[in-house]
Amino acid sequence: LSVCSKLCYAIGGAPNQVAGSAASFFLQIYLLDIAHITPFHASLVLFIGKASGAVTDPVAGFFISKSRWTKIGRLMPWVLACTPFTIVSYFFMWYLPPFVSGRVAWYLTFYCLFQALTTLFQVPYSALTMFLSTDQRDRDSATAYRMTMEVLGTLIGAALQGQIVASAHVSPHCTVNPSANTTDSWHDIPTTPDPSDPLSHQAKVYMIAAGVIAGVYLLGTVVLFLGVKERDDPYALNSDRAIPFCKGLALTMKHGPYVKLTASFLLISTAVQLEQGNFVLFCTHAAGLRNHFQYLVVTILVSAVVSVPFWQKFLQRFGKKCAACGISWMIPFAVMLVTIPNLILAYFVAFVSGLSIAASLLLPWSMLPDVVDNFRLQNPHGKGHETIFYSSYVFFTKMSAGIGLGISAAGLEFTGYKPGICRQSDDVILTLKLLIGAVPAILILLGLFILLFYPITEESRKETKLALEELR
């Protein structure tokens, strides 16, 4: 693969991460503090939205596996067709409607649409890795390019959104030192007026950010289409038949390496989603870092971007399972931030968290092609199983993340979160600390424990590569 092809492939995946990053870091606080819907309704929006995206994954995999080859490939038409609709749904997801009573239905509708449409983009795009080259090194290199650009997209999305909307969450009323004023009246001072007018400043800045990110989405898709050539299945014989979707799904669920990989990273990705979804709320309400959250988010993501090449070299040198240890680095530092909320420590925690997040993003997408190759070797006369693996993997990770975010938002409702006030109750602050520190730590440790039993080693990868070359 040429550097240009790998770069264009990587750029094509960035817009999804730009939009997803903005939603991960800011949608929950937007729903609570700008749209002023209750935490319970916010939890419904987040959970049902993620669940709709997750349910779309196997559906997308089914229809894509039935697709015929066209002049531009079998996967590329899906990517191109869903992009315009994704852009429209993303913009309206951040639009504040003039009515109040139907806001929950509004955000639920467009968030579900956005999640479903991004799935129709993500499944064929991620499966495209298997149709770029037959060489494992080429695919690993393309994956590293992709993850570098996707983490950069995550950085761009969070930075753009954070810088544009920061003024919507800053209030001069909340600069009072909490320790100097313990009266209940201080707790009830709203940080922002209820922005029921869609032309309010808070609503405008979120719409501007949505418009900018929608433009990035369109640009990335054009680059992907112009710069990447999809190849047909290189291992399939003319006599081979496509595996029926339901049969293929049953086979993937029985494939040991895939089950272990998916179980491990659905726990790890849920931990990362909890960190992302609650980090801005934690900085704003629990750590006294209201005026620094956008810079902390940028620090996390800059660290992630620059460390992806390091992790790629590390896994080539020491193996992919060994590189997974880097995911655990964030645990002790996150616990320190929760117990000792300090500005300098917060930036250091942000830097280390970026290293861990980069490892958690790169590894599953680097290991999944190895699982697909292993399955191909055991089922040599079937084809079309790649989209089944990728769609079902995304299904499980999205569903687990949706459950995690829904439970976290419901926890804030249960402990008495009030939108638009300067200082939340002690129960809410404790909940935010648990969602940033203890809960992700437990999930990451469980995920890494399951990964110990993942059977594909560097030696078995080389054996599989040789066997597939002989098959081809």
Side-chain angles (χ1 to χ4, degrees):
L1 281 177
S2 67
V3 172
C4 180
S5 293
K6 289 187 280 191
L7 195 58
C8 289
Y9 173 65
I11 290 172
N16 235 9
Q17 303 306 314
V18 172
S21 170
S24 293
F25 280 106
F26 292 95
L27 184 59
Q28 183 161 283
I29 197 170
Y30 170 81
L31 294 175
L32 294 174
D33 287 1
I34 305 300
H36 281 211
I37 67 176
T38 67
F40 174 72
H41 288 136
S43 72
L44 287 180
V45 171
L46 294 171
F47 171 70
I48 296 175
K50 285 283 186 182
S52 69
V55 170
T56 310
D57 283 298
V59 175
F62 174 78
F63 285 109
I64 293 169
S65 67
K66 297 285 186 183
S67 300
R68 294 182 178 181
W69 184 265
T70 68
K71 291 182 179 179
I72 59 173
R74 185 163 59 93
L75 302 174
M76 194 68 76
W78 287 87
V79 172
L80 297 178
C82 69
T83 296
F85 301 102
T86 307
I87 291 171
V88 172
S89 64
Y90 179 79
F91 180 80
F92 282 108
M93 190 175 81
W94 299 99
Y95 175 73
L96 189 70
F99 47 84
V100 177
S101 58
R103 282 184 188 173
V104 175
W106 175 277
Y107 291 115
L108 184 60
T109 299
F110 284 105
Y111 188 51
C112 287
L113 277 174
F114 174 71
Q115 288 293 332
L117 289 165
T118 52
T119 294
L120 290 176
F121 181 100
Q122 188 68 23
V123 170
Y125 171 77
S126 55
L128 192 58
T129 309
M130 301 302 298
F131 300 97
L132 297 177
S133 172
T134 60
D135 187 79
Q136 286 182 353
R137 279 188 172 274
D138 268 349
R139 292 202 304 254
D140 284 348
S141 178
T143 300
Y145 271 78
R146 171 193 162 192
M147 296 318 300
T148 302
M149 197 57 67
E150 286 193 356
V151 176
L152 182 61
T154 305
L155 166 63
I156 291 170
L160 275 175
Q161 188 88 357
Q163 293 301 317
I164 295 172
V165 309
S167 60
H169 299 286
V170 174
S171 172
H173 297 295
C174 293
T175 57
V176 181
N177 183 0
S179 61
N181 190 337
T182 57
T183 62
D184 291 338
S185 61
W186 188 83
H187 289 250
D188 295 329
I189 298 174
T191 60
T192 56
D194 184 359
S196 56
D197 180 7
L199 298 179
S200 67
H201 170 72
Q202 291 84 3
K204 280 183 179 178
V205 294
Y206 270 97
M207 287 173 61
I208 291 169
V212 171
I213 291 175
V216 173
Y217 218 113
L218 184 61
L219 179 64
T221 305
V222 171
V223 170
L224 175 68
F225 173 67
L226 296 178
V228 175
K229 182 180 180 182
E230 180 184 343
R231 303 168 189 265
D232 204 355
D233 189 341
Y235 297 113
L237 304 174
N238 291 333
S239 59
D240 289 345
R241 293 185 175 183
I243 298 176
F245 183 83
C246 293
K247 179 183 177 182
L249 189 61
L251 289 173
T252 59
M253 294 300 103
K254 295 176 183 176
H255 193 59
Y258 178 71
V259 171
K260 293 178 176 67
L261 180 71
T262 303
S264 172
F265 278 99
L266 71 84
L267 292 171
I268 292 170
S269 65
T270 302
V272 173
Q273 286 281 332
L274 284 174
E275 291 272 359
Q276 287 183 333
N278 293 286
F279 187 75
V280 176
L281 282 169
F282 172 78
C283 290
T284 304
H285 298 298
L289 302 171
R290 180 184 296 271
N291 296 323
H292 295 273
F293 71 81
Q294 67 268 38
Y295 306 113
L296 289 167
V297 168
V298 169
T299 302
I300 291 172
L301 297 172
V302 167
S303 170
V305 169
V306 299
S307 63
V308 168
F310 161 76
W311 286 118
Q312 176 64 14
K313 293 292 183 183
F314 188 95
L315 64 87
Q316 287 177 347
R317 179 79 180 274
F318 300 103
K320 297 178 182 180
K321 284 180 70 174
C322 187
C325 67
I327 301 171
S328 64
W329 292 357
M330 73 167 74
I331 295 175
F333 297 102
V335 172
M336 286 172 62
L337 179 62
V338 167
T339 53
I340 316 169
N342 175 276
L343 182 59
I344 297 174
L345 179 62
Y347 278 99
F348 186 69
V349 170
F351 175 78
V352 176
S353 296
L355 298 178
S356 296
I357 288 172
S360 71
L361 291 174
L362 175 63
L363 280 171
W365 296 112
S366 182
M367 297 166 86
L368 196 54
D370 301 335
V371 173
V372 176
D373 280 347
N374 183 273
F375 181 85
R376 157 70 75 179
L377 197 59
Q378 296 181 21
N379 301 271
H381 295 295
K383 61 180 181 178
H385 57 276
E386 295 84 3
T387 52
I388 299 173
F389 273 99
Y390 281 87
S391 62
S392 56
Y393 174 78
V394 178
F395 166 80
F396 287 117
T397 52
K398 277 188 179 178
M399 184 62 78
S400 63
I403 292 171
L405 290 174
I407 290 174
S408 71
L412 294 176
E413 166 85 9
F414 180 74
T415 52
Y417 181 92
K418 295 180 180 179
I421 66 172
C422 291
R423 181 175 171 80
Q424 299 292 337
S425 68
D426 291 340
D427 289 339
V428 172
I429 292 173
L430 176 61
T431 301
L432 288 170
K433 288 181 176 181
L434 291 173
L435 292 172
I436 288 292
V439 177
I442 293 170
L443 292 174
I444 289 171
L445 291 174
L446 285 173
L448 292 176
F449 177 74
I450 294 172
L451 198 62
L452 291 175
F453 302 97
Y454 176 70
I456 297 178
T457 62
E458 296 306 302
E459 291 75 18
S460 65
R461 283 181 67 228
K462 292 175 183 177
E463 293 171 3
T464 301
K465 178 183 177 182
L466 291 173
L468 286 175
E469 287 298 319
E470 183 67 25
L471 175 68
R472 189 163 68 93

